[in-house]
Amino acid sequence: MPLGDPSVVSNTLFSKDHPHYKWVALSNTTLGILMATINSSIVIISLPAIFTGIHINPLDSANVSYLLWILMGYLLVTAVLVVTFGRLGDMFGRVRIYNLGFVVFTIGSIALAFNPLDGGHGAMWLIVWRFVQGIGGAMLFSNSTAIITDAFPANRRGMALGINQVAAIAGSFIGLLIGGLLANLSWHVGTLDVEWVFLVSVPVGIIGTIWSYLSLHEVGAKAEGKMDWWGNALFAIGLASLLTAITYGIQPYGDSTEGWTNPWVLAGLIGGGVVLVIFVFVELALKSPMFEMRLFKIRAFSMAMLAGLLSSIGRGGMQFMLIIWLQGIWLPLHGVAYDQTPLMAGFAMLPITIGFLISGPLSGTISDRVGPRLFATTGLLVVAATFVLLIVLPIDFTYWQFALITFFNGIGSGMFAAPNRAAIMNSVPANMRGSASGMAGTVQNSGTSLSMGIFFSLLIAGLSTSLPKALFSGLTANSVPTQVATQISHLPPVSSVFAAFLGYNPMDTLLGKGGMNVLSSLPEAAQKTLVGNEFFPHLISGAFHDGLVVVFIAAAAMSVIAAVASLIRGKHYVHDVQAVAESIEAHEAEAVSS
């Protein structure tokens, strides 16, 4: 057969005309999303080891900003840029932007793995390159579902997007587990501090980059238009201001346990909100906007986006609360050393991921035939029920009860996530799929960032009313001088919460060399009690449960509201099919009238 014969090309697996090309596109984009979401949570558990490597105490008040930016910077950058890259994908090619995302993400991972700096400079190195990773992640997030939608017919998209969404949501939980396994694996090459927690993404990134450039092709419709510079600038400024203000709002300010009265935080919240309102009016006035506000006229799209936002906030809040619950209370009470709690917490939350893996692809496949409303709505109600069950679960629970509840939470989330994303992508015109994918990604990542500010604030507010008194009486009962006990009890609860969150022994952190430095002067029995596995968990249990009730009631309420939004989305809606049907009806009506 002569070289260049089209039949040769069409029969190769990596040809866009090959009957199995859609599976190549699905496997590659799922790998990209899995890598991006794993890296959104992988640093949560490995932060203590990372800060140890650059010789910084993350709980020192001067270093809390470093901690929060390494933790939140990736999510913030991804949330801000994902719509922009979705629009660029519509204009210049979704595969082109997606492939570039693999390259940028891999470069960021390499730079993070080999940190040449120490102290504050080392922390800034990590923050900057996490931003770069976030840019690559935004490119992957914004175009992966659009590429899948282009490759699969409408009657198979739910299944395909179900697999992709399972990877997206499960990746955040898998990241906790991988972070725990790799946290303490590092070595030094000269002045370089090499961290496995970042290095693990490098070979995956390289393989994914080569694979995507070899296998993916542009098969979707492009949208003609100019770059919306005003829209991009306003959106970036508004959302970045809002999310940055939330990040600083959970830090203490002056005599307050939180920073919501900080003038800069208020300016960010109000100013960011005003800029986003201006952004909406600017976008409505443009012919080729980056954020197609007119899509919200499609009820199937707008209700799915609202349900997705509320679900993302609730899921992020649950993940945050379960980490505190497991690492600060339950695991220590069951004999697990504090420095091992992050890893064990990752294992303890595996039932959630298993639930996703079971229900996501299955619900997506069935929803292709019956529509998304039944599965998405039922899934959200199941999630709401699990939040209520977590409220009535004892603080020192029996693990099988916790595993069963969180398993059904994963089942419910999987039932919702796959059909809902398929509904979003099916409801928009073919040439706007990149924008829709980016908008859905923004909603998901912004919801996670918002959940940190909302639920952390609710928890700290609950702890602030009862923890100081419990802390003072517990310390003085174990020979801690009254002056020291008073000083510690007046510290913002954020110190104790972050200590537990990061796998530190909170009492050792507050009383040891890194804190008041009085632990060694206390009687030996008092030392053992204070830094033992039971003192802090028993001390915080009552106050934590009060905060937990408020948080999970709020999460359950959001899930119910999301279920209502999902219920009223209307019947199964596929834009391309609907457009053809409407065109046929119009022609028939015209023929009859003539």
Side-chain angles (χ1 to χ4, degrees):
M1 192 170 289
L3 188 66
D5 191 318
S7 63
V8 176
V9 177
S10 63
N11 288 325
T12 59
L13 181 61
F14 289 165
S15 166
K16 65 181 180 181
D17 299 318
H18 193 281
H20 296 310
Y21 169 74
K22 57 181 176 291
W23 300 110
V24 174
L26 175 61
S27 56
N28 188 287
T29 52
T30 298
L31 175 65
I33 284 297
L34 186 65
M35 182 179 72
T37 53
I38 283 175
N39 277 272
S40 70
S41 63
I42 197 170
V43 299
I44 292 175
I45 286 180
S46 53
L47 275 174
I50 291 170
F51 277 103
T52 298
I54 57 177
H55 306 103
I56 279 184
N57 175 11
L59 298 178
D60 189 306
S61 59
N63 298 327
V64 171
S65 291
Y66 292 143
L67 185 153
L68 286 173
W69 277 110
I70 292 176
L71 187 65
M72 301 288 290
Y74 177 87
L75 283 173
L76 189 150
V77 171
T78 304
V80 169
L81 295 179
V82 72
V83 175
T84 298
F85 288 128
R87 175 61 179 160
L88 287 173
D90 282 341
M91 293 173 62
F92 302 109
R94 291 150 197 161
V95 169
R96 179 180 297 179
I97 302 298
Y98 176 86
N99 290 349
L100 184 59
F102 254 124
V103 174
V104 174
F105 194 97
T106 305
I107 291 172
S109 299
I110 294 171
L112 284 163
F114 299 94
N115 188 350
L117 304 175
D118 202 16
H121 295 295
M124 287 304 301
W125 174 277
L126 294 175
I127 291 168
V128 169
W129 286 105
R130 280 287 282 175
F131 283 173
V132 173
Q133 247 191 352
I135 294 171
M139 293 177 174
L140 296 171
F141 270 118
S142 60
N143 289 282
S144 62
T145 53
I147 291 171
I148 293 172
T149 306
D150 289 338
F152 280 82
N155 64 345
R156 300 297 300 277
R157 285 174 191 160
M159 175 276 302
L161 291 170
I163 294 172
N164 190 261
Q165 284 302 291
V166 164
I169 297 173
S172 62
F173 291 98
I174 294 172
L176 300 176
L177 186 59
I178 295 176
L181 290 169
L182 300 179
N184 295 310
L185 295 180
S186 63
W187 75 93
H188 298 278
V189 181
T191 59
L192 292 177
D193 179 47
V194 184
E195 292 286 351
W196 265 100
V197 75
F198 295 123
L199 191 63
V200 70
S201 297
V202 174
V204 178
I206 292 173
I207 292 170
T209 300
I210 295 172
W211 186 16
S212 63
Y213 272 100
L214 285 175
S215 65
L216 296 181
H217 303 279
E218 301 289 358
V219 297
K222 292 184 180 181
E224 300 297 330
K226 298 179 180 179
M227 188 62 181
D228 175 16
W229 295 110
W230 276 109
N232 278 275
L234 288 170
F235 184 75
I237 293 170
L239 188 59
S241 299
L242 204 61
L243 296 181
T244 301
I246 290 171
T247 300
Y248 281 98
I250 63 179
Q251 297 185 47
Y253 174 72
D255 296 329
S256 176
T257 58
E258 297 171 280
W260 300 112
T261 57
N262 184 334
W264 288 108
V265 170
L266 292 172
L269 292 173
I270 297 170
V274 170
V275 171
L276 288 177
V277 170
I278 296 172
F279 162 77
V280 170
F281 285 102
V282 169
E283 294 300 276
L284 288 172
L286 294 176
K287 291 183 178 179
S288 300
M290 63 160 284
F291 203 107
E292 185 51 82
M293 303 301 299
R294 297 170 186 85
L295 290 177
F296 286 99
K297 293 181 179 179
I298 304 171
R299 186 171 60 173
F301 178 84
S302 58
M303 290 299 101
M305 292 286 278
L306 175 59
L309 175 63
L310 294 172
S311 172
S312 180
I313 294 173
R315 184 172 58 251
M318 180 197 68
Q319 180 178 338
F320 172 72
M321 292 299 293
L322 292 187
I323 291 173
I324 300 294
W325 193 350
L326 290 167
Q327 294 181 199
I329 300 174
W330 192 82
L331 287 168
L333 284 177
H334 289 258
V336 179
Y338 276 97
D339 61 352
Q340 293 299 311
T341 57
L343 174 59
M344 297 309 295
F347 282 113
M349 291 196 290
L350 275 177
I352 301 174
T353 303
I354 294 170
F356 281 134
L357 294 174
I358 292 173
S359 68
L362 183 61
S363 62
T365 300
I366 300 175
S367 71
D368 281 332
R369 296 195 295 269
V370 302
R373 181 164 57 177
L374 175 63
F375 275 93
T377 304
T378 304
L380 287 167
L381 292 176
V382 170
V383 169
T386 61
F387 286 141
V388 175
L389 291 173
L390 286 170
I391 292 172
V392 300
L393 191 69
I395 288 293
D396 189 11
F397 51 78
T398 302
Y399 180 71
W400 71 264
Q401 298 171 329
F402 175 86
L404 191 63
I405 294 171
T406 53
F407 171 76
F408 276 103
N409 184 280
I411 290 286
S413 295
M415 289 175 65
F416 166 75
N420 196 66
R421 182 57 68 93
I424 290 172
M425 299 308 297
N426 280 333
S427 66
V428 302
N431 64 348
M432 292 185 180
R433 287 172 183 164
S435 296
S437 177
M439 291 161 78
T442 294
V443 163
Q444 182 173 319
N445 292 323
S446 298
T448 303
S449 299
L450 285 169
S451 71
M452 177 69 85
I454 294 170
F455 292 115
F456 189 89
S457 298
L458 290 173
L459 176 61
I460 294 301
L463 292 177
S464 298
T465 59
S466 52
L467 184 60
K469 183 178 179 180
L471 199 55
F472 178 82
S473 60
L475 292 174
T476 53
N478 285 277
S479 305
V480 175
T482 302
Q483 183 179 356
V484 174
T486 301
Q487 191 172 351
I488 290 177
S489 66
H490 283 85
L491 289 174
V494 65
S495 301
S496 300
V497 171
F498 268 132
F501 188 74
L502 296 174
Y504 289 100
N505 185 319
M507 289 298 102
D508 190 27
T509 301
L510 293 172
L511 297 170
K513 291 182 180 179
M516 297 296 180
N517 198 22
V518 298
L519 189 62
S520 59
S521 64
L522 301 178
E524 185 176 349
Q527 291 184 45
K528 289 182 178 179
T529 299
L530 289 168
V531 300
N533 276 25
E534 296 190 3
F535 179 79
F536 182 75
H538 284 310
L539 188 73
I540 199 175
S541 290
F544 177 81
H545 188 264
D546 292 341
L548 182 146
V549 169
V550 174
V551 166
F552 281 144
I553 286 176
M558 288 182 187
S559 297
V560 171
I561 295 170
V564 173
S566 179
L567 183 64
I568 64 175
R569 72 174 72 212
K571 296 181 179 180
H572 188 31
Y573 181 90
V574 179
H575 187 279
D576 296 340
V577 174
Q578 190 73 17
V580 170
E582 290 174 356
S583 177
I584 292 173
E585 289 177 2
H587 282 298
E588 289 177 348
E590 185 178 346
V592 170
S593 63
S594 61

